Amino acid sequence: MKKYLKDFSVIKSVRLSSDYGLLGLRPSDGSDLPEMAPGQFVEVTAPAESGVMLRRPISIHDVDFENNLLWLLVRNAGKGTAAMISLQPGDTVNILLPLGNGFTLPDKSDKPLLIGGGVGVAPLLYFGKEMSRKGLMPSFLLGARSKSDLLRIDCFEKVGPTYITTEDGTEGEKGFVTNHSALTDGWTKIYCCGPVPMMKAVARIARQRDIDCEVSLENMMACGLGACLCCVENTVKGNVCVCSEGPVFNINQLLWQD
Amino acid sequence: MARLDVEIGNLKLKNPVLTASGTFGYGEEFADLIDLNRLGGFIVKGTTLNPREGNPYPRMAETPSGMLNAVGLQNKGVDYFIDNIYPRIKDIDSKIIVNVSGASTGDYVEVCEKLATLSAIEAVEINISCPNVKQGGMAFGTSCDGAASITKAVRKAYPKTLIVKLSPNVTDIASIACAVENEGADSVSLINTLMGMAIDAERQRPRLSTITGGLSGPAVKPVALRMVWQVAHAVKIPVIGLGGITNGTDAIEFMLAGARAVQIGTANFIDPTVTMKVIDEIDNYCQRHGVNDINEIVGII
Ligand SMILES: Cc1cc2nc3c(=O)[nH]c(=O)nc-3n(C[C@H](O)[C@H](O)[C@H](O)COP(=O)(O)OP(=O)(O)OC[C@H]3O[C@@H](n4cnc5c(N)ncnc54)[C@H](O)[C@@H]3O)c2cc1C
Ligand SMILES: Cc1cc2nc3c(=O)[nH]c(=O)nc-3n(C[C@H](O)[C@H](O)[C@H](O)COP(=O)(O)O)c2cc1C
Ligand code: FES
């Protein structure tokens, strides 16, 4: 897919909680959004006042082609992301997009489950919507530390059945996504994005039950283009760039055998 | 439009703007974003005799106005380059320079002999200055004898333009440049990354798997500029300057300090179209200052 470097105008900036923000962005030059696949990501230049130099990788959360809006869901993880969620309508951000490879669509006969943890739910909304546009039936299993960390649940519920876990039991079942009762429902395809320990636990279950499973990695990046080799993950093919060969990997490509 | 063409030995560049090894892949990664044909040239990833897996993750940490890297020369080896990558990039109308690394003199010589057979590769840049590999690499670049012996061996084996890339992690970079010039190098490029370190205080751990790594980006520019100026005054061969260049003014500063051409590295990560802007800004500078030929300003300081 062709890559672009574009200025985007902030059209909407919604503070979901003290640590999470949602940005609705439109190309400043009035052009249409480029083609983008679910699971791909973008690289955003953080606002200058953050003092951050390198671009920050952020997943494509949703694409509203009708209103020409790109949505990003951002967690305050440090200087760059803190400045991003403080952006206001009228501000401009420079974005390199779309990057990496997305998720593989399931077959019509599959029963797919999309598992997200924390801000890792971000790429699953666009993916779920693309699935239902193609007549596939996604279900979601979303986990967070606490009720206040659950993100965009109402949006996911509109797309498919949504199961919830919180570590403190303030919403849904108490515990981790890997303990949720719905996990035994005969899924034939699992897609997962979240903290690495969570993805590893999900991968272990998928392997035990022989379920095909894809995960989306969040290694630190510099170029986002496969040029600097900073973002590598050790795989069955040796060290490969997460930005250009991922961020989505089938678990049988990864050396996650523990 | 001023004359922007410059010469590095027998290598004729349409303008002085090159990209730095390890920051621009094989050029093709940037093909959607810029017109590669407009570049003076591009220097591809560090290439070794045998494939190398590089260092474990994490290999990168951002620091104030810069970054540390510890990639460790990950590449698929020179034969893979010749068979698979070279055919895809050889017709780009811009000079392609291969950056060469090795663990022994024999490695460097063998890689350069193989590259000498490729018609679209008119120059090599010998990296005797990589801080991220245990063997060889920087060991050659930190003594005059080491730098001289590698240059001498490669010079015998490689008839085209030979550029030697110098390490800034030395006490007297000018004496190393002179040693390399004496053994027949056509040009020196500098600087490679400065050895550095970053620590995550909360986790009480180094940020890089290798603990130390190479610092690049705007943070190193004053050091790089000083070294380019010192070296340009010590040698007669053309000097290629780099280290922290992010715009046309930075590039002009290096040329005023004595660089015949410049390389752009880390800035490609900040703005992948930066090279095009630097070329335009150099041209604009020449117009504003009534410079008809960029060579007029080289080394006037
Ligand atoms: C493909 C991909 C998609 C991503 N999608 C999203 C998303 O949709 N929403 C979102 O909020 N975040 C996402 N991230 C993570 C986001 O890129 C990091 O949180 C961000 O780069 C941190 O930058 P900062 O300047 O805020 O933090 P810094 O001040 O640079 O660092 C603060 C802390 O965050 C850690 N950190 C730095 N970079 C990363 C990283 N890439 N991944 C994880 N931790 C990091 C550092 O180790 C440090 O401890 C994604 C990362 C990748 C690689
Ligand atoms: C990620 C990364 C990888 C690099 N790899 C190489 C390499 O393979 N060979 C080499 O000679 N220099 C390598 N360098 C050094 C650069 O070519 C350059 O000398 C240095 O980054 C200073 O320039 P800059 O500040 O413009 O980046 C690398 C630098 C970075 C940031
Ligand atoms: S971030 Fe540069 S290669 Fe992946």
Side-chain angles (χ1 to χ4, degrees), chain A residues 1-5 45 52-56 96 219-223 225-232 238-239, chain B residues 22 24-25 29-30 32-33 45 53 55 57 59-60 62 65-67 71 74 218 266 269-273:
Chain A
M1 235 170 261
K2 188 170 158 54
K3 301 181 180 80
Y4 299 85
L5 186 69
T45 301
V52 156
M53 179 185 80
L54 297 170
R55 289 168 181 272
R56 294 297 189 256
L96 176 60
N219 293 15
M220 274 185 287
M221 297 183 174
C223 70
L225 296 167
C228 72
L229 306 186
C230 284
C231 63
V232 292
N239 283 330
Chain B
F24 202 65
E29 293 86 345
F30 291 76
D32 281 348
L33 302 162
K45 254 174 220 165
E53 274 298 313
N55 293 319
Y57 178 86
R59 296 173 166 187
M60 184 272 286
E62 184 167 341
S65 296
M67 65 180 279
V71 171
Q74 180 180 332
T266 303
F269 308 154
I270 306 169
D271 176 359
T273 66

Side-chain angles (χ1 to χ4, degrees), chain B residues 112-190:
Chain B
C112 291
E113 279 172 343
K114 287 177 188 247
L115 292 172
T117 63
L118 307 177
S119 60
I121 308 290
E122 294 173 45
V124 293
E125 178 183 61
I126 302 297
N127 176 11
I128 57 166
S129 50
C130 182
N132 297 324
V133 288
K134 287 202 187 71
Q135 271 180 312
M138 198 163 81
F140 293 113
T142 50
S143 76
C144 289
D145 290 349
S149 74
I150 278 281
T151 307
K152 185 174 185 177
V154 174
R155 178 73 291 174
K156 265 197 219 141
Y158 189 76
K160 302 190 227 177
T161 301
L162 171 59
I163 304 163
V164 179
K165 185 166 180 180
L166 305 180
S167 169
N169 303 303
V170 296
T171 341
D172 181 6
I173 197 164
S175 63
I176 306 222
C178 292
V180 161
E181 178 181 41
N182 284 337
E183 294 300 343
D186 296 305
S187 168
V188 285
S189 57
L190 65 150

Side-chain angles (χ1 to χ4, degrees), chain A residues 71-140:
Chain A
W71 289 95
L72 305 179
L73 178 63
V74 181
R75 179 179 80 94
N76 175 356
K79 287 194 250 91
T81 47
M84 275 183 221
I85 60 175
S86 302
L87 285 164
Q88 293 304 318
D91 289 342
T92 302
V93 274
N94 189 260
I95 299 186
L96 176 60
L97 81 172
L99 302 172
N101 301 305
F103 297 106
T104 327
L105 278 173
D107 291 331
K108 278 253 175 338
S109 58
D110 271 323
K111 192 176 169 196
L113 180 65
L114 282 56
I115 304 179
V119 77
V121 303
L124 303 182
L125 185 61
Y126 181 39
F127 187 37
K129 286 189 177 179
E130 278 293 290
M131 273 194 200
S132 42
R133 276 190 276 266
K134 295 197 155 64
L136 303 160
M137 304 276 272
S139 297
F140 302 97

Side-chain angles (χ1 to χ4, degrees), chain A residues 180-196:
Chain A
H180 198 282
S181 54
L183 205 53
T184 52
D185 279 357
W187 311 104
T188 60
K189 190 100 206 214
I190 290 176
Y191 303 92
C192 183
C193 184
V196 171

